[in-house]
Amino acid sequence: MEDLLKVGVITTTHGIRGEVKVFPTTDAERFLDLHYVMLDTGRDFRRLDIQNVKFFKNLVILKFKGIDNINDIEMYKQRELWVPREEAQELEEDEYYIGDLIGMEVLLEDGSKFGELKDVMETGANDVYIVETKEGEEVLLPAIKDCILDVDVENNTMTVHLMKGLI
């Protein structure tokens, strides 16, 4: 399990006073409860204390303490924002952090190995798990109860039922 969880990506600057537009990879309202984020600078992580949060369409506009000029933040366009796991949002039952799912061994109902979870596509209705089979093929599995039978984060395994038409 990762120590840091991604909460967004800086898309561009907003105005000239150091604000940035962020594409959230978590519930956008979550930013209202955050006091800081960790900016992946490409070399290391830099703590940025949040001064102000606004919303614009599907984006979050953040103002960080001590960054008052566009030139201080412009170089961080397309950089990811993270929070430590202990600052992460509490999960409901059957909710998981994407970082915990990536790399999971995917098993069939009979216990045989099917493949490895490579990525998660977030769609409007439900997430879709991208699984690379042991033969190297890509299979898309909807994250619904009929298909995903069990997720065991501790043992890094997921048990699935292959519904008709998925392969």
Side-chain angles (χ1 to χ4, degrees):
M1 291 199 263
E2 297 180 24
D3 293 335
L4 295 174
L5 299 168
K6 185 164 63 167
V7 292
V9 178
I10 295 175
T11 59
T12 189
T13 56
H14 179 75
I16 61 170
R17 292 189 169 83
E19 291 180 312
V20 291
K21 291 181 182 175
V22 173
F23 179 78
T25 56
T26 184
D27 176 22
E29 298 284 319
R30 172 72 178 108
F31 283 89
L32 293 171
D33 298 326
L34 289 175
H35 298 289
Y36 70 95
V37 292
M38 302 299 291
L39 170 70
D40 181 357
T41 66
R43 289 186 303 274
D44 56 9
F45 286 91
R46 176 180 172 192
R47 178 184 167 132
L48 295 175
D49 292 316
I50 297 173
Q51 181 175 319
N52 193 27
V53 178
K54 297 187 281 191
F55 301 98
F56 178 73
K57 296 184 181 178
N58 64 333
L59 300 174
V60 179
I61 298 174
L62 296 179
K63 172 74 174 85
F64 300 113
K65 293 178 185 167
I67 297 180
D68 301 313
N69 185 308
I70 189 173
N71 298 324
D72 298 336
I73 197 73
E74 192 166 34
M75 67 192 96
Y76 298 120
K77 288 181 190 175
Q78 303 309 311
R79 293 290 182 185
E80 297 173 342
L81 299 175
W82 301 76
V83 295
R85 182 175 286 275
E86 57 269 11
E87 297 288 327
Q89 202 168 2
E90 294 271 330
L91 295 176
E92 303 282 326
E93 186 177 341
D94 293 330
E95 286 187 335
Y96 307 95
Y97 296 117
I98 291 175
D100 291 344
L101 297 175
I102 305 289
M104 267 192 177
E105 181 178 28
V106 180
L107 307 172
L108 296 175
E109 295 169 274
D110 64 6
S112 62
K113 181 173 177 161
F114 178 65
E116 181 181 323
L117 197 144
K118 290 294 186 182
D119 205 356
V120 176
M121 257 192 308
E122 297 177 80
T123 67
N126 56 266
D127 290 347
V128 175
Y129 296 156
I130 301 171
V131 176
E132 184 179 301
T133 67
K134 53 187 181 182
E135 292 82 23
E137 296 177 20
E138 194 173 89
V139 176
L140 304 179
L141 300 176
I144 57 175
K145 288 185 185 283
D146 290 343
C147 187
I148 309 302
L149 303 178
D150 182 58
V151 176
D152 185 345
V153 175
E154 293 283 315
N155 293 309
N156 202 36
T157 60
M158 175 184 293
T159 306
V160 300
H161 166 71
L162 295 179
M163 297 166 48
K164 196 172 193 166
L166 286 179
I167 297 183

